[in-house]
């Protein structure tokens, strides 16, 4: 600890940081631009100038940049010094010479760091009377709007996009006072994290293009604390609503999960909530024909009442994209024996395997922040950028951070970004990416290995054995693989905090076992090794922790006649089984009830469809990859008869006079029953605050009394929220909310996303109330490691057959986000990918239509794409993409014309 | 497409460099020497040749005012506009050039013979006002010497 004096006041602060960070952590308002807690200091903008004094007697002092000055014991500075104030004011005045005065029509207005800093410095009068520099803007694709005239040349964008996120199709162009941040030519920004520029840019150069289409100022939006529903990382987000439609999603800081950054699927996938495909009221499908009629809630419940009065005649299919509470309510409706987790047999087996590996083994799942702090990483079998994007970005940070340990030896502080970069040049930390298909992380990797899942697993086992000889060794490894394994093992053993990341998307349990052995081998060698397993959906981990069976059990119950009624909760069965099988299941059930938020092939075949709230309109809990249970609270009450899945199920039980849910009136009741019934979820706690409810609307929310005046002159009473300590109001609780309940970040003088500074214990660290979420999975404390001994045989290709490996796709591969028009624009073409040699042997070339047969089913036609790196004998299948039929992972497909 | 000659010349530079992208400026110079300027297409070609993205190459190309990203005439006149030259009559010299050539700064004569550009400093304060045509430095340049100089360039 060091004592620093700020304007004469002594403060104890942590050493090793710079003065800007220290002053902000202490709560001082010191303006800055080029610095960012995730990007650190370059000292470019000169905005954070303060006076530094030699000692107590020095009255003159000298101006220094706070962001470039290390904290040192006894250092004396002044923020308030008139010269320092004048300096900072003139820096803004100079930046403003070219900045347009277009705040009223700028989307950043009201959440603009430049506005805040300008007000903070007191520059209020413009003396500059000349022409401003102007630029031509670029079309950067569906996500971001570009308005270069507003640029203040802080370089944050290019430092984020290139250095932090690894993008290479964006750069700084020109020089002097004609600096330009953009692309070589107009075109889509390819990086999967481009949307963060809207928050990283301190002004309105990059703004959310999807928000622009239904623009509302930050202060006029109603916000809530929510969780991104588009993958299993569980990034914390704040959705913003106005007039009953969702307008945007912004980052909600959680130092342990997303930090400052979201992926583009999470940020721009929200428009599914406003989609035409939303189910807005109960629907009843007439017998024998396709006639669908909208019915009232009462009629719908009356129709289903007799079907569900006997639980033993009902089977319930839950969903890994629905909350724990909705799944639990379904489990109550049908009984634990007839509740299935909504995953196919292989999916559920993999998810359960992931849980047992993490819970019974010695390697705990890391938070995203912990992955960023790792110093050697092995990725086995998972294309993280496409399946769990935020984890891939964390791996990039780990790889970037590791060489900075060398900078520390030269006494270069970690926050001195330019000096660290100069010291480390192109050095990267050790990273192995072993996957079947080319991977977006390849450019950051020390080693890449393309192999079929079995061979990926074998390589993992080989590295594990090379790390710790107690871990079983695969036989008959090629010389190349053996030496690769040894090289990787050496790097892992040189590391202090190695991490192994894997996932279920390639469908191989062997890959999970290999990853487990490797992480455990590292633990056995005394390393603080972590093991992260990416699952596909926002609550896959939660469902794996529940006790439901697999879809096969539901199919059996329906087909053998023991169940007559099928209740499908927020789940499209056509994404989990072959089309014919799903059709048969829905037809075999005497009555099929679907509860969902959007139309899909399953709802299209259900007799009764109940409109579920989309995640942003709902309240509940989901569990992420890390085993972190995170609550989300509805942003607004959806119109019509839309309500939470769990509430429909309570209503159904009550209509059928069932006793299971008779005492359940709010989410807390469901939660309480759930944690009692399922000990694995016991940590899911209820949160309440004393002293009024937390307002979802900012203090400046305008038009409240008039926004419905065209319908009704009197202001309606805002809806009550019985399920949370939050109110649909501007008034209520004041003070520091628990972070898990914080709908938005705001602070006096801080209107932009930088307001989060004021809510953190230390800048860039945990929020004052801690990191939201409760970890449900901790590693087993036992020392004894039970190794996985079964090692698969090396992949051997079959003549005229190809092993299908799924190709995850960030845009289009997920069911809901693809309904957002902006995301839909980025969807890659459906294809089947093959090594060109295989294609040639088949007499096919890229673009040709391939006809694919899977044992006995109808052939599927799909255009062929060349993928040079794909191993021979393997074919890539972009599973989940629109127009791509479901096929079983790791099945073999046959040659055209054969079976 | 880069010509074989251009590729050979770039490779000669690369031989002395640790990584290919270090040769970016050299590659831009090679292309400019052959084609007078660097087109968007050339930026993409250089990028592909050096394993860079066009954005990265363009970032370098647009940083240097002497890499021309727009077509120039057969000869580029670089008129120094730094302080010494300005004191010694750069404004008169610019007037003279503009009248003689019938173009302003940044423009090219209709016969494609000259492009007139300003440059921050030629490092020739002792010969102010100075200008440079292609690789030749002239100064001090006045009304009496200008025509003779221009005549040398066809």
């Amino acid at each position: 600890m060091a004592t620093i004096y700020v304007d004469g006041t002594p403060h104890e602060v942590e050493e090793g940081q710079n003065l800007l960070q220290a002053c902000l952590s202490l709560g001082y308002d010191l303006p800055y631009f080029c610095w960012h807690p995730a990007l650190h200091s370059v000292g470019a903008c000169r905005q954070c100038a303060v006076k530094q004094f030699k000692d107590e007697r020095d009255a003159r002092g000298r101006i220094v940049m706070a962001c470039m000055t290390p904290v040192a014991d006894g250092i004396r500075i002044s923020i308030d010094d008139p010269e320092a104030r004048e300096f900072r004011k003139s820096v803004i005045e100079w930046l403003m010479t070219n900045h347009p005065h277009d705040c009223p029509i700028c989307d950043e207005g009201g959440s603009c760091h430049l506005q805040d800093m300008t007000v903070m410095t007191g520059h209020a009068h413009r003396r500059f009377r000349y022409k401003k520099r102007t630029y031509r803007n670029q079309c950067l694709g569906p996500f971001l709007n570009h308005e270069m005239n507003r640029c203040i040349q802080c370089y944050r964008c290019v430092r984020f996009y290139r250095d932090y996120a690894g993008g290479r199709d964006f750069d700084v162009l020109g020089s002097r006072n004609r600096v330009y941040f953009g692309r070589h030519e107009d075109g889509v920004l390819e990086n999967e994290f481009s949307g963060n520029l809207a928050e990283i840019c301190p002004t309105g150069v990059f703004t959310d293009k999807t928000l622009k289409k239904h623009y509302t100022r930050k202060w006029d939006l109603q916000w809530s604390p929510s969780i991104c529903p588009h993958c299993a990382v569980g990034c914390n987000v704040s959705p913003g609503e106005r007039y009953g439609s969702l307008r945007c999603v912004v980052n909600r800081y959680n130092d342990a999960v997303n930090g400052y950054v979201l992926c583009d699927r999470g940020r721009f996938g929200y428009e599914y909530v406003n989609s035409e495909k939303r189910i807005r009221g109960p629907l009843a499908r007439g017998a024998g024909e396709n006639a669908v009629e909208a019915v009232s809630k009462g009629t719908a419940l009356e129709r289903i009442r007799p079907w569900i009065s006997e639980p033993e005649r009902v089977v319930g299919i839950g969903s890994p994209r629905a909350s724990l509470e909705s799944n639990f309510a379904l489990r109550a409706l049908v009984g634990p024996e007839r509740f299935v987790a909504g995953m196919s047999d292989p999916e559920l087996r993999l998810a359960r395997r992931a849980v047992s590996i993490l819970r019974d083994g010695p390697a705990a799942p890391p938070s995203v922040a912990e992955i960023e702090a790792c110093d050697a990483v092995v990725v086995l079998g998972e294309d993280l950028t496409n399946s769990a994007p935020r984890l891939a970005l964390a791996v990039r940070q780990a790889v970037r951070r590791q060489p900075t340990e060398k900078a520390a030896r030269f006494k270069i502080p970690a926050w001195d970004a330019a000096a660290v970069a100069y010291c480390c040049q192109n050095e990267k930390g050790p990273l192995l990416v072993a996957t079947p298909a080319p991977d977006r992380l390849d450019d950051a990797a020390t080693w890449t290995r393309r192999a079929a899942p079995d061979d990926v697993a074998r390589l993992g086992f080989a590295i594990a054995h090379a790390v710790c000889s107690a871990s079983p060794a695969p036989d008959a490894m090629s010389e190349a693989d053996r030496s690769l394994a040894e090289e990787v093992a050496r790097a892992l053993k040189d590391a202090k905090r190695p991490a192994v990341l894997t996932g279920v998307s390639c469908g191989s349990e062997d890959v999970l076992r290999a990853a487990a052995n490797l992480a455990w081998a590292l633990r056995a060698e005394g390393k603080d090794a972590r093991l992260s397993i990416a699952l596909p959906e926002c609550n896959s981990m939660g469902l794996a922790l529940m006790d439901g069976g697999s879809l096969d059990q539901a199919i059996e119950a329906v087909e053998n006649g023991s169940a007559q009624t099928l209740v499908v909760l927020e789940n499209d069965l056509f994404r989990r089984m072959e089309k014919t099988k799903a059709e048969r299941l829905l037809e075999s059930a005497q009555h099929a009830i679907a509860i969902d938020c959007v139309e899909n092939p399953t709802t299209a075949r259900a007799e009764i469809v109940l409109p579920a709230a989309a995640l942003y309109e709902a309240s509940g809990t989901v569990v992420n990859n890390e085993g972190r249970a995170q609550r989300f609270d509805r942003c607004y009450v959806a119109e019509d008869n839309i309500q939470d899945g769990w509430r429909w199920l309570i209503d159904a039980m009550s209509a059928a006079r069932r006793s299971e849910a008779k005492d359940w009136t709010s989410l807390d009741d469901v939660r309480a029953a759930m944690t009692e019934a399922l000990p694995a979820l016991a940590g899911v706690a209820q949160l309440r605050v004393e002293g009024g409810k937390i307002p979802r609307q900012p203090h400046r929310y305008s038009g409240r009394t008039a926004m419905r005046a065209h319908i009704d002159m009197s202001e309606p009473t805002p809806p009550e929220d019985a399920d949370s300590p939050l109110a649909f109001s501007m008034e209520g609780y004041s003070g520091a909310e628990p972070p898990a309940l914080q709908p938005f970040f705001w602070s006096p003088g801080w209107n932009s996303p930088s307001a989060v500074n004021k809510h953190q214990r230390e800048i860039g660290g945990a929020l004052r109330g801690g990191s939201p979420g409760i970890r449900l999975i901790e590693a087993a404390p036992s020392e004894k490691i039970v190794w996985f001994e079964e090692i698969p045989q090396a992949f051997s290709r079959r003549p005229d057959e190809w092993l299908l490996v799924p190709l995850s796709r960030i845009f289009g591969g997920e069911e809901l986000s693809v309904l957002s028009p902006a995301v839909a624009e980025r969807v890659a073409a459906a294809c089947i990918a093959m090594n060109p040699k295989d294609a040639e042997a088949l007499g096919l070339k890229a673009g040709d239509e391939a006809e694919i047969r899977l044992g006995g089913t109808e052939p599927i036609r799909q255009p062929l794409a060349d993928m040079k790196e794909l191993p021979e004998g393997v074919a890539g299948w972009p599973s989940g993409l629109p127009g791509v039929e479901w096929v079983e992972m790791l099945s073999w497909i046959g040659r055209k014309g054969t079976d | 497409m880069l010509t074989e000659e251009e590729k050979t010349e770039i490779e000669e530079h690369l031989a002395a460099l640790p990584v290919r992208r270090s040769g970016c400026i050299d590659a831009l110079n090679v292309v400019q020497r052959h084609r007078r300027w660097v087109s968007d297409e050339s930026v993409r070609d250089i990028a592909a040749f050096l394993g860079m993205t066009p954005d990265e190459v363009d970032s370098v190309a647009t940083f240097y005012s002497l890499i021309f990203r727009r077509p120039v005439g057969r000869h580029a006149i670089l008129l120094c506009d730094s302080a010494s030259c300005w004191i010694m009559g750069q404004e008169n010299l610019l007037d003279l050039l503009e009248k003689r050539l019938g173009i302003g700064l940044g423009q090219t004569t209709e016969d494609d013979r000259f492009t007139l550009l300003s440059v921050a400093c030629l490092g020739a304060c002792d010969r102010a006002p100075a200008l440079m045509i292609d690789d030749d430095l002239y100064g001090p340049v006045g009304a009496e010497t200008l025509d003779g100089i221009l005549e040398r360039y066809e």
Side-chain angles (χ1 to χ4, degrees):
Chain A
M1 292 299 267
T3 307
I4 64 167
Y5 296 85
V6 183
D7 290 307
T9 313
H11 296 281
E12 290 285 304
V13 298
E14 208 70 59
E15 273 176 284
Q17 54 179 334
N18 60 66
L19 279 177
L20 173 61
Q21 196 165 3
C23 288
L24 292 171
S25 292
L26 290 168
Y28 287 103
D29 284 344
L30 183 56
Y32 63 87
F33 289 115
C34 65
W35 183 81
H36 184 283
L39 305 176
H40 310 302
S41 308
V42 287
C45 73
R46 320 315 277 172
Q47 189 57 63
C48 63
V50 294
K51 250 317 172 44
Q52 184 184 348
F53 303 95
K54 263 197 303 217
D55 50 41
E56 283 175 88
R57 292 182 302 282
D58 180 9
R60 251 177 91 194
R62 64 193 177 99
I63 291 213
V64 298
M65 297 309 129
C67 73
M68 296 303 286
T69 311
V71 159
D73 195 33
I75 201 168
R76 290 170 178 277
I77 58 163
S78 170
I79 295 173
D80 232 4
D81 178 87
E83 226 173 64
R85 293 180 79 96
E86 191 52 40
F87 186 100
R88 296 196 297 264
K89 193 169 158 183
S90 53
V91 168
I92 288 266
E93 181 169 21
W94 158 69
L95 290 176
M96 283 292 173
T97 58
N98 277 318
H99 189 81
H101 290 202
D102 65 345
C103 303
I105 53 121
C106 173
D107 285 3
E108 194 85 350
S111 66
C112 176
H113 188 71
L114 178 59
Q115 274 181 337
D116 289 348
M117 299 301 107
T118 306
V119 173
M120 195 179 284
T121 57
H123 168 68
H125 176 70
R126 177 165 66 143
R127 292 184 291 171
F128 182 78
R129 295 176 291 112
Y130 311 97
K131 266 196 172 170
K132 287 174 187 274
R133 164 215 64 189
T134 56
Y135 292 108
R136 183 188 157 273
N137 301 314
Q138 289 182 323
C139 181
L140 300 176
F143 296 152
L144 288 171
N145 194 67
H146 192 216
E147 179 51 70
M148 258 306 294
N149 292 348
R150 297 176 184 142
C151 180
I152 57 163
Q153 299 85 41
C154 72
Y155 281 71
R156 271 194 199 181
C157 56
V158 74
R159 289 174 60 217
F160 171 78
Y161 194 89
R162 296 184 57 85
D163 304 347
Y164 193 93
R168 289 184 65 191
D169 60 328
F170 175 86
D171 216 319
V172 50
L173 300 150
S175 60
R176 300 168 288 130
N177 62 339
R178 298 287 311 167
V179 163
Y180 187 92
F181 297 89
R183 288 169 46 92
H184 161 64
E185 57 192 356
D186 287 38
V188 173
L189 280 176
E190 287 161 15
N191 192 273
E192 296 80 3
F193 304 92
S194 67
N196 293 292
L197 293 180
E199 291 191 45
I200 295 278
C201 174
T203 178
V205 178
F206 300 97
T207 50
D208 181 340
K209 204 182 217 174
T210 67
L211 168 63
K212 195 173 207 64
K213 298 202 169 112
H214 39 224
Y215 186 69
T216 305
R217 293 270 174 221
K218 178 185 178 182
W219 65 71
D220 280 340
L221 288 167
Q222 173 163 268
W223 304 91
S224 75
S226 196
I227 303 295
C228 175
H230 303 300
C231 86
V233 177
C235 291
N236 293 199
V237 295
S238 289
E241 171 268 355
R242 181 89 178 174
Y243 299 120
S245 85
L246 198 58
R247 303 303 169 102
C248 64
V249 157
V250 300
N251 187 60
R252 182 166 64 95
Y253 183 85
N254 181 341
D255 67 307
V257 187
N258 40 303
Y260 293 93
V261 187
L262 299 177
C263 79
D264 288 352
R265 174 154 99 193
R267 189 181 294 275
F268 302 111
Y270 70 91
E271 283 190 276
Y272 81 93
V273 177
N274 306 331
S275 149
E276 292 280 301
K277 289 201 160 188
R278 277 305 294 278
I279 300 162
R280 301 220 146 259
L283 302 171
R285 192 161 275 106
E289 59 198 273
N290 261 349
V292 183
E293 72 177 311
V295 294
S296 73
K297 183 177 165 182
T299 311
L301 290 172
E302 187 52 36
R303 282 275 292 276
I304 64 178
R305 186 184 55 77
W307 310 342
I308 57 165
S309 52
E310 291 172 77
E312 49 284 353
R313 309 292 283 158
V314 192
V315 64
I317 296 179
S319 166
R321 67 165 161 86
S323 66
L324 288 177
E325 291 82 353
S326 290
N327 278 290
F328 181 72
L330 177 63
R331 182 179 174 278
L333 175 84
V334 299
E337 309 78 37
R338 289 166 304 277
F339 168 71
V340 304
M343 294 185 235
S344 68
D345 213 33
E347 278 181 301
L348 185 64
R349 207 170 50 239
L350 286 163
R352 288 262 155 80
R353 174 61 68 196
V355 170
S356 74
I357 285 172
L358 296 174
R359 199 161 45 190
D360 305 337
S367 68
V368 180
E370 283 165 336
I371 295 172
E372 287 177 357
C374 286
D375 52 358
V377 183
V378 168
V379 179
L380 290 182
E382 190 76 14
D383 178 359
L384 291 171
T385 312
N386 280 300
S387 66
R390 187 63 187 80
L391 295 190
L393 191 61
V395 170
R396 268 185 201 282
Q397 303 324 305
V399 168
R400 282 178 74 214
R401 203 204 50 80
Q402 190 269 357
T404 66
E405 287 172 13
K406 175 178 137 193
R409 288 204 298 280
F410 292 103
K411 304 248 183 312
I412 300 171
W415 47 259
D416 192 346
V420 168
Y422 189 75
C423 176
C424 301
Q425 295 288 325
N426 295 323
E427 280 182 55
K428 293 177 205 147
L431 167 64
L432 166 70
V433 178
T435 48
D439 195 288
R440 290 281 282 126
L441 273 177
D442 287 350
D443 66 285
T446 325
W447 312 275
T448 58
R449 174 78 167 92
R450 291 290 98 83
D454 282 351
D455 288 343
V456 169
R458 286 168 60 81
L459 178 63
F461 280 113
I463 304 169
H465 177 71
V467 166
C468 171
S469 53
S471 174
D475 55 4
M477 290 291 283
S478 72
E479 194 43 48
D481 270 354
R482 199 194 334 270
S483 74
L484 173 62
E486 277 163 16
E487 205 181 324
V488 175
R490 268 195 301 279
L492 292 170
K493 285 173 93 165
D494 283 344
K496 292 186 206 74
R497 296 170 307 277
V500 181
L501 279 75
T502 185
V504 300
S505 69
C506 79
S508 162
E509 210 172 325
D510 290 321
V511 169
L512 296 191
R513 291 192 189 103
N517 270 16
L518 176 52
W520 297 346
L522 289 161
R523 303 281 315 183
E525 292 296 303
K527 302 288 172 193
D528 184 13
R530 300 303 176 94
L531 173 62
S532 175
I533 304 177
L535 299 179
E537 289 162 273
C538 67
N539 203 17
S540 295
M541 186 62 90
L543 268 285
L545 289 168
M546 288 180 75
D547 54 1
S550 78
L551 282 172
D552 290 5
Q553 278 169 256
I555 294 169
E556 203 191 314
V558 169
E559 286 180 357
N560 73 15
S562 69
Q564 290 168 337
T565 304
L566 182 65
V567 185
V568 186
L569 169 72
E570 300 180 45
N571 201 337
D572 179 12
L573 305 178
F574 291 75
R575 293 180 73 87
R576 302 186 193 275
M577 58 180 84
E578 281 149 24
K579 194 174 157 209
T580 45
K581 202 167 158 188
E583 279 170 346
R584 201 169 60 235
L585 171 63
L586 288 161
E587 276 160 24
S588 321
Q590 274 185 22
H591 307 290
I593 304 164
I595 305 172
D596 213 335
C597 59
V598 289
E599 291 165 10
N600 58 42
T602 302
T603 63
R605 286 164 179 82
E607 201 173 332
I608 292 285
V609 181
L610 301 174
L615 189 137
Y616 294 129
E617 304 158 341
S619 300
T621 310
V622 285
V623 187
N624 76 356
N625 283 333
E626 186 201 342
R628 184 181 290 270
Q630 304 193 98
R631 68 175 284 146
F632 55 91
D633 285 286
R634 60 179 66 92
C635 178
Y636 60 106
V637 179
E639 283 175 7
D640 311 317
N641 278 316
I642 292 171
Q643 56 180 8
D644 290 50
W646 55 266
R647 208 177 275 288
W648 275 118
L649 290 158
I650 294 176
D651 287 349
M653 283 186 268
S654 135
R657 298 206 167 66
R658 298 263 306 272
S659 63
E660 290 85 348
K662 69 177 180 352
D663 299 325
W664 298 358
T665 56
S666 75
L667 189 62
D668 283 354
D669 302 327
V670 186
R671 244 178 220 150
M674 176 179 82
T675 49
E676 203 188 309
L678 298 165
L681 305 177
V684 178
Q686 305 180 18
L687 270 176
R688 290 282 148 181
V689 292
E690 300 276 322
K693 286 196 152 199
I694 299 164
R696 284 178 172 89
Q697 298 163 358
H699 307 74
R700 296 180 195 153
Y701 194 83
S702 60
R704 187 186 76 183
T705 54
M707 61 197 284
R708 276 175 49 89
H710 61 298
I711 300 163
D712 186 352
M713 290 307 290
S714 63
E715 186 194 346
T717 321
E720 283 289 321
D721 187 2
D723 303 315
S724 81
L726 292 126
F728 300 103
S729 163
M730 300 157 70
E731 290 96 13
Y733 183 88
S734 67
E737 311 95 327
L741 292 175
Q742 197 156 358
F744 52 85
F745 293 108
W746 213 308
S747 194
W750 296 77
N751 303 291
S752 78
S754 319
V756 73
N757 287 347
K758 296 286 180 183
H759 299 266
Q760 296 163 327
R761 285 180 196 149
E762 279 167 9
I763 305 302
L767 293 166
R768 285 189 200 286
S771 316
I774 292 147
R775 274 174 66 113
L776 299 180
I777 298 177
E778 290 303 341
S782 97
E783 295 295 307
K784 178 93 178 77
I785 294 170
V786 185
W787 303 101
F788 289 113
E789 302 281 348
E790 272 172 61
I791 299 175
Q793 292 299 306
F795 171 73
S796 71
R797 63 167 308 172
R798 295 186 188 172
D800 287 337
E801 278 194 300
W802 285 266
L803 181 73
L804 272 192
V805 294
L807 302 173
S808 305
R809 289 292 172 255
I810 180 171
F811 303 122
E814 190 265 339
E815 184 182 357
L816 299 173
S817 55
V818 74
L819 301 173
S820 288
V823 170
E825 265 187 59
R826 297 290 308 274
V827 174
C831 67
I832 175 162
M834 269 188 170
N835 187 299
K837 282 186 198 154
D838 281 348
E840 203 183 327
L842 278 171
L844 293 169
K845 56 181 192 308
D848 285 353
E849 195 161 82
E851 191 178 284
I852 300 137
R853 279 167 197 267
L854 282 145
T857 59
E858 278 177 43
I860 301 167
R861 285 188 185 80
Q862 201 107 290
L864 187 86
D866 276 348
M867 201 174 259
K868 261 203 303 267
E869 288 184 55
L870 209 59
E872 288 172 53
V874 164
W877 190 256
S879 46
L881 222 58
V884 175
E885 261 188 62
W886 184 91
V887 288
E888 176 90 58
M889 287 181 275
L890 303 186
S891 46
W892 292 85
I893 53 163
R895 189 193 176 106
K896 184 178 178 180
T898 64
D899 267 349
Chain B
M1 283 276 282
L2 297 175
T3 62
E4 284 310 312
E5 205 182 342
E6 287 168 328
K7 285 184 190 168
T8 312
E9 282 178 43
I10 297 170
E11 286 292 359
E12 278 165 19
H13 287 285
L14 293 178
L17 296 167
V19 284
R20 285 183 82 78
R21 54 185 299 161
S22 307
C24 182
I25 299 173
D26 296 312
L28 289 163
N29 270 324
V30 166
V31 168
Q32 180 157 311
R33 219 167 26 246
H34 283 278
R35 307 174 187 225
R36 290 193 246 159
W37 68 294
V38 180
S39 65
D40 285 357
E41 190 195 344
S42 294
V43 165
R44 289 191 286 269
D45 292 341
I46 292 171
F49 193 65
L50 299 180
M52 298 170 71
T53 62
D55 315 83
E56 289 163 348
V57 172
D58 218 0
S59 176
V60 176
T62 55
F63 180 81
Y64 293 103
S65 50
L66 295 184
I67 296 293
F68 305 136
R69 287 286 280 111
R70 284 189 203 166
V72 292
R74 293 192 293 282
H75 307 286
I77 304 176
L78 302 171
L79 177 66
C80 182
D81 66 0
S82 68
S84 304
C85 288
W86 176 66
I87 292 167
M88 296 302 287
Q90 178 264 357
E91 283 172 320
N92 291 339
L93 182 53
L94 175 60
D95 262 1
L96 212 56
L97 274 166
E98 285 181 341
K99 284 202 185 91
R100 203 63 95 235
L101 304 173
I103 53 171
L105 278 172
Q107 295 176 339
T108 301
T109 54
E110 262 184 33
D111 59 1
D112 209 27
R113 185 173 161 209
F114 288 115
T115 295
L116 180 59
L117 297 164
S118 66
V119 68
C121 186
L122 288 171
C125 300
D126 58 324
R127 299 165 71 178
L131 59 76
M132 198 168 177
I133 304 181
D134 300 341
D135 290 332
D136 312 319
L137 181 68
Y138 297 98
V141 183
E144 63 290 350
T145 51
L146 182 63
D147 287 346
I149 294 168
L150 293 180
E151 273 170 20
R152 295 177 210 172
Y153 299 90
E154 261 316 309

